[in-house]
Amino acid sequence: MLRTALRNVLAHKARLLMTALAVLLGVAFVSGTLVFGDTIAGSFNNAAAQSLKGVALSVRANDGSGPGGSKGEPITFLDTELARKIRTLPGVASVRPTVNGSATLAGKDGRPVNADNNWQNLATNYLPGKDGKDSHFPLKEGRGPTAEGELALDAKTAEKAGYRIGDTVRFATDGPALTKKLVGIVSTDDPRVTVGGTLTLFDTPTAQKLFLHAGQFDEITVAAKAGTDERALTDQVQALLPEKGARATSGADLAAEQSAQITQDNGFFAKILTLFAGIALFVGAFIIANTFTMLISQRSREIALMRAVGASRRQVVRSVLAEAALLGLVASATGFALGLGIAAAMRPLLNAGGAGLPDGPLVISPETVVSSLAVGVLVTVLAAWLPSRKAAKIAPVEALSSVDQEPPTRALVIRNVLGTLLTGAGVLVMFYVSTLKAISQDDVTIAMLGAGLTVSGMIVLAPLLSRPLITLAGKVTARWFGVSGKLAKENALRNPRRTAATASALMIGLTLITGLTVAGHSTQQARDKQFAYGLTDYEVSNSSHGGGLDPGAAGKVARVPGVAAAAPVNSTGFGTKSGPVVITGTDPKAFGKSVELDFRAGSLRDIGPGKIAVSDGFAAKAGLELGATLDVGTDTGKAEKKKLTVVGVYAQTRAANDALATLADVLPYSDTKELDKLLVKAEPGKATGLERKIRAALGDSPLLKVQSREQLIKTEGGSINTALNMMYGLLGMAVIIAILGVVNTLAMSVFERTREIGMLRAIGLDRFGIKQMVRLESVVISLFGAVLGIGTGIFLAWAGGSLMASSMQAYEMALPWGRLAIFLVLALVVGVLAAIWPARRAARLNMLQAIQSA
């Protein structure tokens, strides 16, 4: 029986090719995902290890957080005296005191470099040794900074900003722009810099002046002499530190902390990729099961004869499973090799979209190799198990029976009942989800369960649904294409299970793509509606972490030629009996010129000292109406209460939070006493080019972030489009596998109908008619899968819309008719392309030989 399995694999190369491709692509996706995840984690770990090379321990200052990250302990800084004491300990080879900060550079063109990711704009001190060089930052050009008016940059930053040795560099730390001379260019392995950040180096006194105070440091790293016990040295250093405020950590513990953080940071991304790999394999399982079912139907006479000469049912099952295992192993090995290529290509593709992943070699672990091969073989064997059971039930007396028998009526009834129950349960769960208002993690889990039940039910019900839908499509094909169209319909209806299994593979991919597209399009429209309503021409903010704008900035911008109004904005949280409330403080007159608000009662003119307008959402929550008094408490540590009178109610919008008040009623109670942003309205026809004038009026600091209306909308919606495009790419693999399934089914169906095709040729159907018949059958099956997939996807997107509506007031389901039409056209194209080879093969059959085939 083993020899028989091997012979069958070798004898049916063409028939099993598409099945092998399905396994191959699924395993390629899985192996590529696993290798890519290991590679990225390895790259980050390598970069982190480089930064810890030679570090026996690190002493870090307290950052002002108490237990659990809460405020409590005072901020502590390390000093020169502590560094001197550590240097005198036995076993200490060297001590490196470090000052850490952030500096945003302006490029040669005057625009900020990397202003959107200011946390990656690193600044630190250059600490030269006896040779005048800092081994931590190897020099590529020039020298290290030694005076207050000098700085150095890493090579990538200098290239990005357009600076060369001797140029004057403009930058900002937390205030106005500063200038220093570029005297050196260095290299660095810091992953925050290599993935797109910037690095600026100052001499130690200058760095302390910019970020701390003279003699203060954020961190002290210690290198140990050979043979020194790092743990013991760490304990000795800890004994020198104050009881609270600083902590010594060994190099081994630092490496473990970094590795754990890297694993956590990359875990979600790896899970997403693995999920889509599972979808690809799930789709592939349909093709594998379909292929083996058809192969067994074609070999029923052969299997019956084997039973007649003594083969047991168990031997038949083992033979089919051995054939599947061998096929799965070969395809999985090839898929793993392809997966390496996918893993290598993913990093540059994602970096092109701004992911910022570090460079490094591919990491191929033994666990990944074993897992990839095991998954491919296991999926193939499981998919072939049911067909193998069917093969074992073939009795010897069936040797002379037809090769393609109708499934038993009882089996179809059971399947239809099960499919109805699954679909009904899924639909009921999704209807429940559609009624939810406040969404929790448990509700998301319920929604996923309902979607899974619905899709599973549709897969099981597909044979039942195929008859009416394909009959309807057949009327069109018969009317437009005559006999070929009618024959295509009859061929598609001949074996509903096979047609359904083929269409289901395409249906799964299109269900997911359609659901994501409808949800994404609806979310995008809701955000655009919510975001664009009352949107100003320019928004000005400070890109530094926790930084704001000087309250006088509004007056400076208002005097810029071409500016109609500049509204200062500060949003501060207060406490009320109804819960927390965020009040936006502004100049009502300037705000009214910059932003359009839809007032349901009252107006902006009514807002004044002690008088506020509230959003309709907060008014309903707190039970407020015109004339009501709102008692708010502040977070300033005082027991004071503030009474505010409601004089207006407006439709909730992004431009204003829960309530709108004068700046004088809000700004004194904010933590920073600074503006969050400015909303700038341009005079008619003068918005173009206003950015440079606004920047100049505010000192042109690189920290200034001046965004136009178009930039704001693009930034707001860009993340959704990026996520959708990534999902399309991942789900595209499942659709490709589904296309292979259509090709596979048609090719094997042509083989089954060899005699029938010969008879059709004999009675007058020419080769073009044969090709057209096969093509139309492919198109009908593809459109059937597309209709099921698009319909199911729309339903799931509608029912799951409450998940978005709960957090986005303007959310309404909006169908992207253009994209849905494209999906249908793509299904039509899939049908035509998938039929090219099977149709050509059918048309080239020899008429007489086909009639004589068994």
Side-chain angles (χ1 to χ4, degrees):
M1 295 303 294
L2 180 59
R3 287 197 299 271
T4 301
L6 293 173
R7 181 182 61 80
N8 284 331
V9 171
L10 296 175
H12 304 292
K13 301 183 188 71
R15 302 185 211 173
L16 293 177
L17 176 62
M18 297 302 170
T19 303
L21 282 173
V23 179
L24 183 152
L25 289 174
V27 171
F29 207 170
V30 171
S31 62
T33 297
L34 295 176
V35 171
F36 178 71
D38 291 342
T39 297
I40 295 305
S43 299
F44 276 112
N45 280 323
N46 288 339
Q50 285 294 324
S51 66
L52 293 175
K53 188 176 181 180
V55 176
L57 63 97
S58 170
V59 181
R60 294 176 179 173
N62 173 49
D63 60 1
S65 297
S70 61
K71 294 181 179 180
E73 299 178 3
I75 296 177
T76 303
F77 296 105
L78 311 178
D79 55 27
T80 305
E81 178 61 21
L82 177 61
R84 186 193 63 78
K85 290 180 180 179
I86 295 174
R87 191 176 286 110
T88 61
L89 290 175
V92 173
S94 64
V95 172
R96 181 184 179 84
T98 305
V99 179
N100 297 316
S102 176
T104 302
L105 302 172
K108 267 293 190 66
D109 60 359
R111 294 182 177 275
V113 178
N114 203 35
D116 292 334
N117 295 311
N118 195 55
W119 63 273
Q120 286 183 270
N121 295 335
L122 309 182
T124 187
N125 57 318
Y126 187 85
L127 198 63
K130 294 180 180 179
D131 60 355
K133 298 179 180 179
D134 188 341
S135 60
H136 204 69
F137 301 108
L139 280 167
K140 298 189 73 174
E141 294 181 53
R143 59 177 176 81
T146 58
E148 183 175 354
E150 299 174 345
L151 58 75
L153 301 174
D154 73 282
K156 286 188 175 180
T157 299
E159 181 182 0
K160 188 189 305 182
Y163 287 120
R164 295 181 179 180
I165 298 293
D167 287 343
T168 298
V169 178
R170 290 181 65 250
F171 69 95
T173 55
D174 60 357
L178 303 172
T179 58
K180 295 185 186 296
K181 183 180 179 181
L182 178 62
V183 298
I185 294 178
V186 305
S187 59
T188 179
D189 293 322
D190 192 315
R192 293 171 295 177
V193 179
T194 57
V195 299
T198 64
L199 173 65
T200 308
L201 300 172
F202 307 95
D203 65 287
T204 299
T206 301
Q208 290 174 331
K209 180 179 180 181
L210 288 172
F211 306 116
L212 300 174
H213 295 285
Q216 292 184 338
F217 302 96
D218 294 299
E219 182 180 11
I220 299 175
T221 56
V222 180
K225 295 178 181 178
T228 302
D229 187 330
E230 290 187 2
R231 297 284 184 184
L233 183 58
T234 302
D235 292 338
Q236 292 177 33
V237 172
Q238 184 65 51
L240 297 176
L241 304 180
E243 185 176 345
K244 292 183 179 181
R247 180 170 65 97
T249 307
S250 68
D253 290 340
L254 284 173
E257 289 175 7
Q258 288 190 354
S259 179
Q261 186 62 46
I262 289 168
T263 301
Q264 180 180 344
D265 292 343
N266 290 284
F268 177 74
F269 185 60
K271 288 178 181 178
I272 291 293
L273 291 177
T274 304
L275 172 63
F276 284 97
I279 293 171
L281 277 175
F282 183 63
V283 172
F286 280 89
I287 300 172
I288 298 165
N290 211 21
T291 301
F292 274 94
T293 299
M294 296 175 73
L295 283 174
I296 287 166
S297 294
Q298 294 168 16
R299 286 160 37 197
S300 60
R301 181 172 295 180
E302 173 190 328
I303 294 172
L305 289 173
M306 289 172 60
R307 292 292 313 283
V309 297
S312 66
R313 288 188 175 184
R314 184 171 296 179
Q315 285 178 312
V316 172
V317 171
R318 289 175 178 173
S319 173
V320 175
L321 293 183
E323 183 179 341
L326 182 60
L327 174 70
L329 182 61
V330 173
S332 297
T334 310
F336 181 81
L338 178 61
L340 297 182
I342 292 175
M346 285 182 74
R347 178 163 36 200
L349 286 175
L350 291 172
N351 281 342
L357 301 174
D359 296 330
L362 287 179
V363 177
I364 306 172
S365 65
E367 294 81 2
T368 297
V369 177
V370 173
S371 299
S372 300
L373 296 179
V375 164
V377 173
L378 184 63
V379 168
T380 309
V381 170
L382 289 177
W385 181 72
L386 284 177
S388 72
R389 299 265 300 176
K390 180 181 178 182
K393 294 179 181 179
I394 297 177
V397 74
E398 296 180 24
L400 299 177
S401 65
S402 171
V403 297
D404 192 11
Q405 300 180 27
E406 289 290 329
T409 304
R410 182 173 175 273
L412 287 175
V413 170
I414 294 175
R415 177 169 181 153
N416 293 339
V417 171
L418 177 61
T420 302
L421 292 175
L422 285 173
T423 306
V427 169
L428 288 176
V429 171
M430 294 310 295
F431 271 121
Y432 165 75
V433 170
S434 69
T435 64
L436 297 175
K437 300 300 181 185
I439 304 299
S440 65
Q441 183 62 43
D442 291 339
D443 294 329
V444 174
T445 303
I446 292 173
M448 294 177 65
L449 173 64
L453 286 172
T454 304
V455 173
S456 300
M458 293 299 293
I459 292 171
V460 177
L461 273 181
L464 179 65
L465 298 174
S466 67
R467 187 164 295 279
L469 292 177
I470 291 179
T471 299
L472 181 63
K475 291 182 179 180
V476 177
T477 58
R479 183 167 184 176
W480 286 4
F481 301 99
V483 174
S484 296
K486 185 175 182 180
L487 289 172
K489 180 199 74 171
E490 296 299 328
N491 290 334
L493 290 174
R494 181 178 300 183
N495 192 324
R497 282 186 171 182
R498 181 187 305 168
T499 298
T502 305
S504 293
L506 187 61
M507 182 200 81
I508 295 169
L510 282 177
T511 295
L512 295 172
I513 289 177
T514 301
L516 288 172
T517 300
V518 173
H521 179 73
S522 302
T523 302
Q524 186 70 64
Q525 284 209 346
R527 283 201 173 184
D528 288 349
K529 186 188 302 181
Q530 187 174 345
F531 186 75
Y533 181 77
L535 191 66
T536 189
D537 291 321
Y538 284 93
E539 183 175 290
V540 184
S541 60
N542 190 326
S543 64
S544 66
H545 178 68
L549 300 173
D550 184 87
K556 295 177 182 178
V557 174
R559 292 190 290 271
V560 171
V563 171
V569 174
N570 176 281
S571 298
T572 300
F574 293 84
T576 70
K577 292 181 180 179
S578 302
V581 57
V582 179
I583 302 179
T584 298
T586 187
D587 174 359
K589 185 177 180 180
F591 195 85
K593 293 180 180 179
S594 304
V595 176
E596 295 179 8
L597 288 181
D598 180 13
F599 268 83
R600 308 295 169 81
S603 69
L604 270 172
R605 293 189 299 273
D606 298 323
I607 299 175
K611 299 178 181 179
I612 65 170
V614 296
S615 69
D616 50 3
F618 181 71
K621 175 184 174 182
L624 299 174
E625 56 185 16
L626 291 185
T629 300
L630 181 67
D631 292 333
V632 298
T634 65
D635 295 326
T636 59
K638 302 176 182 177
E640 61 184 291
K641 291 283 186 180
K642 192 172 183 65
K643 291 185 178 293
L644 300 171
T645 304
V646 177
V647 295
V649 178
Y650 57 87
Q652 192 155 0
T653 176
R654 174 187 176 278
N657 292 290
D658 298 320
L660 200 60
T662 63
L663 193 63
D665 279 336
V666 175
L667 190 61
Y669 305 101
S670 70
D671 291 333
T672 63
K673 306 297 188 294
E674 293 180 315
L675 302 179
D676 297 331
K677 58 188 175 183
L678 288 177
L679 302 180
V680 181
K681 182 69 174 178
E683 293 179 355
K686 296 185 178 181
T688 304
L690 202 55
E691 175 190 354
R692 294 299 309 163
K693 297 178 182 179
I694 294 174
R695 297 189 68 87
L698 297 179
D700 202 13
S701 169
L703 293 173
L704 281 176
K705 195 172 182 180
V706 183
Q707 293 178 287
S708 65
R709 175 191 291 262
E710 293 74 20
Q711 290 172 326
L712 288 168
I713 293 176
K714 183 179 179 180
T715 300
E716 190 77 10
S719 58
I720 297 177
N721 291 330
T722 300
L724 278 179
N725 290 334
M726 182 178 175
M727 297 298 183
Y728 288 155
L730 294 172
L731 288 173
M733 183 69 75
V735 175
I736 290 173
I737 295 175
I739 294 171
L740 293 176
V742 178
V743 177
N744 203 18
T745 299
L746 288 174
M748 299 184 74
S749 180
V750 167
F751 178 83
E752 283 185 352
R753 301 202 301 265
T754 298
R755 178 181 293 179
E756 176 185 316
I757 292 172
M759 292 296 296
L760 290 172
R761 289 290 313 283
I763 61 175
L765 191 62
D766 59 11
R767 288 188 175 182
F768 177 78
I770 294 293
K771 285 184 179 181
Q772 192 175 67
M773 176 186 72
V774 177
R775 287 174 188 149
L776 290 174
E777 180 182 355
S778 175
V779 168
V780 166
I781 293 174
S782 298
L783 287 178
F784 170 57
V787 169
L788 285 186
I790 292 173
T792 306
I794 291 174
F795 170 73
L796 295 179
W798 168 80
S802 60
L803 301 176
M804 294 303 302
S806 64
S807 58
M808 189 173 295
Q809 191 176 24
Y811 182 90
E812 291 180 356
M813 191 180 84
L815 294 179
W817 294 107
R819 293 187 186 181
L820 297 181
I822 289 174
F823 294 161
L824 279 175
V825 172
L826 285 177
L828 181 66
V829 172
V830 165
V832 173
L833 295 178
I836 291 176
W837 177 58
R840 186 177 180 185
R841 184 175 182 275
R844 295 176 65 181
L845 289 174
N846 182 282
M847 186 189 312
L848 295 178
Q849 290 179 354
I851 293 173
Q852 292 173 0
S853 65

